[in-house]
Amino acid sequence: MADTIFAKIIAGEAPCHRVFEDDQVLAFLDIFPISRGHTLVIPKEPAVRLHELSDASSAAIGAVLPRICRAVLRATGAVDYNILQNNGAAAHQAVMHVHFHIIPKYADGSGLGVGWKPAKLDGDEAAALATSIAAMLA
Ligand code: AMP
């Protein structure tokens, strides 16, 4: 875990273009941006995937993420944007440390492209699945 590039950035052992930092959160520009202002927001806690993050660290990110989004929008002039949060290699996670992408979307098309192939929700299966997920939360 401590070997990821993001752990090195947190430790000050690798450089970044920092835009925000507090005790629990760091935000900096993505080094290979897919649009102008592409920013990463990461917890300092060393978790790989979002569901492994503590409640305290989750809350700390949630408290500042919209504020960082506002700053990115004001600085770039972008109006639309995506939040992307990948978990696991098959889900396109390349750096194994939790991170949220803030990706402005511009009129020239730069920004996140989404491959979205919706299926129809089956009523019976949906009822069972919702019940099962709710039970897991209880
Ligand atoms: P993901 O596919 O969600 O794991 O995205 C990882 C992101 O981290 C990519 O967009 C990379 O461009 C970005 N990245 C990797 N190394 C660095 C770095 N040293 N500084 C800033 N961003 C980085």
Side-chain angles (χ1 to χ4, degrees), residues 20-45:
F20 175 86
E21 183 167 15
D22 67 14
D23 287 350
Q24 298 185 76
V25 180
L26 179 65
F28 51 91
L29 297 182
D30 194 296
I31 201 167
F32 297 117
I34 62 169
S35 68
R36 184 168 170 269
H38 183 170
T39 298
L40 300 173
V41 182
I42 70 174
K44 291 186 176 177
E45 182 177 296

mmCIF file of all heavy atoms in Angstrom, residues 20-45:
data_model
loop_
_atom_site.group_PDB
_atom_site.id
_atom_site.type_symbol
_atom_site.label_atom_id
_atom_site.label_comp_id
_atom_site.label_asym_id
_atom_site.label_seq_id
_atom_site.Cartn_x
_atom_site.Cartn_y
_atom_site.Cartn_z
ATOM 1 N N PHE A 20 -5.264 21.404 -2.689
ATOM 2 C CA PHE A 20 -5.911 21.423 -1.372
ATOM 3 C C PHE A 20 -5.245 20.385 -0.477
ATOM 4 O O PHE A 20 -4.888 19.299 -0.922
ATOM 5 C CB PHE A 20 -7.405 21.084 -1.492
ATOM 6 C CG PHE A 20 -8.095 20.979 -0.157
ATOM 7 C CD1 PHE A 20 -8.609 22.098 0.479
ATOM 8 C CD2 PHE A 20 -8.200 19.740 0.488
ATOM 9 C CE1 PHE A 20 -9.218 22.000 1.715
ATOM 10 C CE2 PHE A 20 -8.812 19.644 1.731
ATOM 11 C CZ PHE A 20 -9.315 20.773 2.342
ATOM 12 N N GLU A 21 -5.132 20.726 0.812
ATOM 13 C CA GLU A 21 -4.644 19.740 1.779
ATOM 14 C C GLU A 21 -5.182 20.079 3.156
ATOM 15 O O GLU A 21 -5.207 21.249 3.564
ATOM 16 C CB GLU A 21 -3.109 19.719 1.813
ATOM 17 C CG GLU A 21 -2.554 18.648 2.766
ATOM 18 C CD GLU A 21 -1.060 18.390 2.590
ATOM 19 O OE1 GLU A 21 -0.377 19.222 1.929
ATOM 20 O OE2 GLU A 21 -0.581 17.370 3.119
ATOM 21 N N ASP A 22 -5.658 19.066 3.868
ATOM 22 C CA ASP A 22 -5.911 19.204 5.307
ATOM 23 C C ASP A 22 -5.378 17.947 5.989
ATOM 24 O O ASP A 22 -4.603 17.194 5.385
ATOM 25 C CB ASP A 22 -7.395 19.501 5.603
ATOM 26 C CG ASP A 22 -8.337 18.354 5.266
ATOM 27 O OD1 ASP A 22 -7.861 17.211 5.043
ATOM 28 O OD2 ASP A 22 -9.553 18.583 5.222
ATOM 29 N N ASP A 23 -5.787 17.704 7.218
ATOM 30 C CA ASP A 23 -5.222 16.572 7.974
ATOM 31 C C ASP A 23 -5.498 15.219 7.317
ATOM 32 O O ASP A 23 -4.706 14.287 7.451
ATOM 33 C CB ASP A 23 -5.809 16.529 9.387
ATOM 34 C CG ASP A 23 -5.236 17.638 10.254
ATOM 35 O OD1 ASP A 23 -4.276 18.289 9.797
ATOM 36 O OD2 ASP A 23 -5.757 17.850 11.358
ATOM 37 N N GLN A 24 -6.623 15.120 6.610
ATOM 38 C CA GLN A 24 -7.058 13.806 6.122
ATOM 39 C C GLN A 24 -7.182 13.682 4.613
ATOM 40 O O GLN A 24 -7.380 12.568 4.105
ATOM 41 C CB GLN A 24 -8.420 13.457 6.750
ATOM 42 C CG GLN A 24 -8.379 13.351 8.264
ATOM 43 C CD GLN A 24 -9.693 12.881 8.832
ATOM 44 O OE1 GLN A 24 -10.004 11.700 8.740
ATOM 45 N NE2 GLN A 24 -10.472 13.784 9.392
ATOM 46 N N VAL A 25 -7.097 14.809 3.924
ATOM 47 C CA VAL A 25 -7.378 14.807 2.478
ATOM 48 C C VAL A 25 -6.308 15.594 1.736
ATOM 49 O O VAL A 25 -5.808 16.615 2.237
ATOM 50 C CB VAL A 25 -8.769 15.443 2.205
ATOM 51 C CG1 VAL A 25 -9.068 15.452 0.703
ATOM 52 C CG2 VAL A 25 -9.860 14.698 2.958
ATOM 53 N N LEU A 26 -5.993 15.121 0.531
ATOM 54 C CA LEU A 26 -5.077 15.853 -0.358
ATOM 55 C C LEU A 26 -5.704 15.877 -1.749
ATOM 56 O O LEU A 26 -6.294 14.882 -2.186
ATOM 57 C CB LEU A 26 -3.724 15.131 -0.399
ATOM 58 C CG LEU A 26 -2.628 15.716 -1.277
ATOM 59 C CD1 LEU A 26 -2.192 17.095 -0.781
ATOM 60 C CD2 LEU A 26 -1.421 14.775 -1.319
ATOM 61 N N ALA A 27 -5.591 17.015 -2.437
ATOM 62 C CA ALA A 27 -6.071 17.116 -3.822
ATOM 63 C C ALA A 27 -4.984 17.749 -4.671
ATOM 64 O O ALA A 27 -4.307 18.688 -4.237
ATOM 65 C CB ALA A 27 -7.355 17.936 -3.886
ATOM 66 N N PHE A 28 -4.827 17.217 -5.885
ATOM 67 C CA PHE A 28 -3.772 17.697 -6.775
ATOM 68 C C PHE A 28 -4.181 17.414 -8.212
ATOM 69 O O PHE A 28 -5.089 16.608 -8.487
ATOM 70 C CB PHE A 28 -2.432 17.018 -6.439
ATOM 71 C CG PHE A 28 -2.490 15.512 -6.344
ATOM 72 C CD1 PHE A 28 -2.252 14.713 -7.447
ATOM 73 C CD2 PHE A 28 -2.822 14.894 -5.132
ATOM 74 C CE1 PHE A 28 -2.313 13.326 -7.360
ATOM 75 C CE2 PHE A 28 -2.895 13.500 -5.035
ATOM 76 C CZ PHE A 28 -2.634 12.719 -6.153
ATOM 77 N N LEU A 29 -3.498 18.073 -9.147
ATOM 78 C CA LEU A 29 -3.828 17.891 -10.560
ATOM 79 C C LEU A 29 -3.381 16.520 -11.047
ATOM 80 O O LEU A 29 -2.288 16.049 -10.695
ATOM 81 C CB LEU A 29 -3.154 18.978 -11.404
ATOM 82 C CG LEU A 29 -3.590 20.419 -11.131
ATOM 83 C CD1 LEU A 29 -2.874 21.360 -12.092
ATOM 84 C CD2 LEU A 29 -5.102 20.578 -11.244
ATOM 85 N N ASP A 30 -4.235 15.895 -11.872
ATOM 86 C CA ASP A 30 -3.857 14.629 -12.500
ATOM 87 C C ASP A 30 -2.720 14.888 -13.490
ATOM 88 O O ASP A 30 -2.753 15.845 -14.264
ATOM 89 C CB ASP A 30 -5.064 14.023 -13.225
ATOM 90 C CG ASP A 30 -4.835 12.566 -13.600
ATOM 91 O OD1 ASP A 30 -3.928 12.284 -14.423
ATOM 92 O OD2 ASP A 30 -5.558 11.707 -13.067
ATOM 93 N N ILE A 31 -1.718 14.032 -13.448
ATOM 94 C CA ILE A 31 -0.524 14.244 -14.272
ATOM 95 C C ILE A 31 -0.782 13.933 -15.750
ATOM 96 O O ILE A 31 -0.052 14.419 -16.627
ATOM 97 C CB ILE A 31 0.653 13.403 -13.721
ATOM 98 C CG1 ILE A 31 1.985 13.970 -14.195
ATOM 99 C CG2 ILE A 31 0.515 11.940 -14.101
ATOM 100 C CD1 ILE A 31 3.180 13.404 -13.449
ATOM 101 N N PHE A 32 -1.823 13.154 -16.047
ATOM 102 C CA PHE A 32 -2.235 12.885 -17.436
ATOM 103 C C PHE A 32 -3.702 13.285 -17.598
ATOM 104 O O PHE A 32 -4.579 12.413 -17.732
ATOM 105 C CB PHE A 32 -2.045 11.410 -17.801
ATOM 106 C CG PHE A 32 -0.620 10.944 -17.767
ATOM 107 C CD1 PHE A 32 -0.204 9.964 -16.878
ATOM 108 C CD2 PHE A 32 0.329 11.488 -18.638
ATOM 109 C CE1 PHE A 32 1.120 9.525 -16.856
ATOM 110 C CE2 PHE A 32 1.657 11.050 -18.618
ATOM 111 C CZ PHE A 32 2.054 10.072 -17.724
ATOM 112 N N PRO A 33 -3.999 14.567 -17.565
ATOM 113 C CA PRO A 33 -5.396 15.015 -17.547
ATOM 114 C C PRO A 33 -6.133 14.668 -18.839
ATOM 115 O O PRO A 33 -5.556 14.741 -19.924
ATOM 116 C CB PRO A 33 -5.264 16.536 -17.396
ATOM 117 C CG PRO A 33 -3.917 16.869 -17.969
ATOM 118 C CD PRO A 33 -3.045 15.695 -17.623
ATOM 119 N N ILE A 34 -7.397 14.284 -18.697
ATOM 120 C CA ILE A 34 -8.212 14.079 -19.904
ATOM 121 C C ILE A 34 -9.016 15.333 -20.229
ATOM 122 O O ILE A 34 -9.694 15.375 -21.254
ATOM 123 C CB ILE A 34 -9.114 12.825 -19.809
ATOM 124 C CG1 ILE A 34 -10.120 12.926 -18.681
ATOM 125 C CG2 ILE A 34 -8.276 11.567 -19.662
ATOM 126 C CD1 ILE A 34 -11.186 11.819 -18.747
ATOM 127 N N SER A 35 -8.956 16.322 -19.363
ATOM 128 C CA SER A 35 -9.471 17.651 -19.705
ATOM 129 C C SER A 35 -8.785 18.648 -18.779
ATOM 130 O O SER A 35 -8.203 18.270 -17.749
ATOM 131 C CB SER A 35 -10.996 17.726 -19.573
ATOM 132 O OG SER A 35 -11.383 17.633 -18.225
ATOM 133 N N ARG A 36 -8.881 19.912 -19.143
ATOM 134 C CA ARG A 36 -8.212 20.958 -18.369
ATOM 135 C C ARG A 36 -8.838 21.051 -16.974
ATOM 136 O O ARG A 36 -10.052 21.188 -16.843
ATOM 137 C CB ARG A 36 -8.351 22.302 -19.108
ATOM 138 C CG ARG A 36 -7.628 23.438 -18.466
ATOM 139 C CD ARG A 36 -7.556 24.640 -19.391
ATOM 140 N NE ARG A 36 -7.052 25.789 -18.657
ATOM 141 C CZ ARG A 36 -7.831 26.655 -18.024
ATOM 142 N NH1 ARG A 36 -9.141 26.538 -18.093
ATOM 143 N NH2 ARG A 36 -7.300 27.635 -17.348
ATOM 144 N N GLY A 37 -8.005 20.968 -15.951
ATOM 145 C CA GLY A 37 -8.502 21.053 -14.580
ATOM 146 C C GLY A 37 -8.755 19.704 -13.931
ATOM 147 O O GLY A 37 -9.181 19.634 -12.768
ATOM 148 N N HIS A 38 -8.496 18.619 -14.657
ATOM 149 C CA HIS A 38 -8.672 17.257 -14.118
ATOM 150 C C HIS A 38 -7.889 17.136 -12.799
ATOM 151 O O HIS A 38 -6.664 17.272 -12.775
ATOM 152 C CB HIS A 38 -8.168 16.270 -15.163
ATOM 153 C CG HIS A 38 -8.339 14.816 -14.817
ATOM 154 N ND1 HIS A 38 -8.123 13.813 -15.732
ATOM 155 C CD2 HIS A 38 -8.685 14.193 -13.660
ATOM 156 C CE1 HIS A 38 -8.328 12.638 -15.171
ATOM 157 N NE2 HIS A 38 -8.670 12.837 -13.894
ATOM 158 N N THR A 39 -8.627 16.884 -11.742
ATOM 159 C CA THR A 39 -8.068 16.937 -10.384
ATOM 160 C C THR A 39 -8.358 15.631 -9.656
ATOM 161 O O THR A 39 -9.417 15.015 -9.867
ATOM 162 C CB THR A 39 -8.707 18.127 -9.622
ATOM 163 O OG1 THR A 39 -8.373 19.340 -10.307
ATOM 164 C CG2 THR A 39 -8.235 18.216 -8.188
ATOM 165 N N LEU A 40 -7.441 15.205 -8.822
ATOM 166 C CA LEU A 40 -7.628 14.005 -8.003
ATOM 167 C C LEU A 40 -7.767 14.398 -6.539
ATOM 168 O O LEU A 40 -7.023 15.264 -6.050
ATOM 169 C CB LEU A 40 -6.428 13.063 -8.159
ATOM 170 C CG LEU A 40 -6.166 12.557 -9.580
ATOM 171 C CD1 LEU A 40 -4.856 11.763 -9.623
ATOM 172 C CD2 LEU A 40 -7.322 11.700 -10.086
ATOM 173 N N VAL A 41 -8.708 13.783 -5.857
ATOM 174 C CA VAL A 41 -8.927 14.019 -4.429
ATOM 175 C C VAL A 41 -8.737 12.678 -3.726
ATOM 176 O O VAL A 41 -9.419 11.703 -4.058
ATOM 177 C CB VAL A 41 -10.340 14.573 -4.160
ATOM 178 C CG1 VAL A 41 -10.528 14.863 -2.673
ATOM 179 C CG2 VAL A 41 -10.586 15.838 -4.996
ATOM 180 N N ILE A 42 -7.801 12.625 -2.781
ATOM 181 C CA ILE A 42 -7.468 11.342 -2.145
ATOM 182 C C ILE A 42 -7.486 11.481 -0.615
ATOM 183 O O ILE A 42 -7.163 12.534 -0.070
ATOM 184 C CB ILE A 42 -6.089 10.819 -2.608
ATOM 185 C CG1 ILE A 42 -4.942 11.665 -2.057
ATOM 186 C CG2 ILE A 42 -6.013 10.770 -4.131
ATOM 187 C CD1 ILE A 42 -3.551 11.088 -2.363
ATOM 188 N N PRO A 43 -7.857 10.374 0.058
ATOM 189 C CA PRO A 43 -7.702 10.348 1.513
ATOM 190 C C PRO A 43 -6.235 10.095 1.849
ATOM 191 O O PRO A 43 -5.527 9.414 1.086
ATOM 192 C CB PRO A 43 -8.565 9.154 1.937
ATOM 193 C CG PRO A 43 -8.467 8.219 0.771
ATOM 194 C CD PRO A 43 -8.366 9.088 -0.467
ATOM 195 N N LYS A 44 -5.800 10.596 2.966
ATOM 196 C CA LYS A 44 -4.444 10.249 3.414
ATOM 197 C C LYS A 44 -4.408 8.831 3.991
ATOM 198 O O LYS A 44 -3.365 8.181 4.018
ATOM 199 C CB LYS A 44 -3.945 11.284 4.415
ATOM 200 C CG LYS A 44 -3.692 12.644 3.756
ATOM 201 C CD LYS A 44 -3.066 13.636 4.694
ATOM 202 C CE LYS A 44 -2.755 14.934 3.944
ATOM 203 N NZ LYS A 44 -2.196 15.974 4.825
ATOM 204 N N GLU A 45 -5.571 8.356 4.436
ATOM 205 C CA GLU A 45 -5.654 6.980 4.938
ATOM 206 C C GLU A 45 -5.326 6.007 3.806
ATOM 207 O O GLU A 45 -5.847 6.144 2.701
ATOM 208 C CB GLU A 45 -7.082 6.723 5.449
ATOM 209 C CG GLU A 45 -7.297 5.352 6.042
ATOM 210 C CD GLU A 45 -8.718 5.224 6.582
ATOM 211 O OE1 GLU A 45 -9.079 5.943 7.529
ATOM 212 O OE2 GLU A 45 -9.471 4.411 6.031
#
